[in-house]
Amino acid sequence: MSTTQIVVDILTALAIGLVAWYFWFSRREGVEAAAANGVQEIQIKVKGGYDPDIITVKRGMPVRLLFHRMESSVCSEMVIFDKLNRSTRLPEGETVAVEFTPEQPGEIPFQCQMGMLRGKVVVR
């Protein structure tokens, strides 16, 4: 094995490790929903993903997630909250509110209809 092959193998292993860390092992903090007039509210941009994709909220206070879809991809036409037994259509260029009141601490995942775009609400 030549020195070049060893260097390429090491760089490849480092790149794989970095990707694995980023997607599976990194711990990202969520964006806290702003509370006003008794409602925790946050805008979520839908374009190639959800931005932000992790939202933190307090339990027992109503939550309003304002999804604004900025793309025409079929994948992002719906947002699905399996844990809430709820789905909502997201028309392109419109803002759609999803409201609920989290009663228990934990995570409420949401995703597009194909499961490619994912996010979660972390209830504290």
Side-chain angles (χ1 to χ4, degrees), residues 11-63:
L11 291 174
T12 302
L14 288 172
I16 291 170
L18 182 63
V19 169
W21 171 81
Y22 180 78
F23 286 105
W24 294 295
F25 303 113
S26 68
R27 187 167 178 91
R28 295 180 293 155
E29 294 293 321
V31 175
E32 189 168 322
N37 299 322
V39 177
Q40 302 173 87
E41 184 175 287
I42 191 163
Q43 293 263 352
I44 301 171
K45 182 174 76 175
V46 181
K47 186 175 182 181
Y50 300 111
D51 184 23
D53 61 349
I54 301 174
I55 298 109
T56 59
V57 299
K58 297 174 186 153
R59 72 180 173 131
M61 180 184 264
V63 173

Side-chain angles (χ1 to χ4, degrees), residues 72-117:
S72 59
S73 170
V74 175
C75 182
S76 61
E77 283 181 343
M78 299 279 291
V79 61
I80 300 167
F81 293 80
D82 283 335
K83 213 169 187 178
L84 301 175
N85 198 23
R86 187 176 208 181
S87 63
T88 302
R89 189 169 187 285
L90 303 176
E92 183 180 353
E94 294 182 26
T95 300
V96 176
V98 174
E99 299 178 337
F100 59 94
T101 302
E103 300 296 341
Q104 302 292 327
E107 296 182 353
I108 302 171
F110 55 91
Q111 65 181 38
C112 70
Q113 59 193 6
M114 295 179 180
M116 296 173 69
L117 311 179

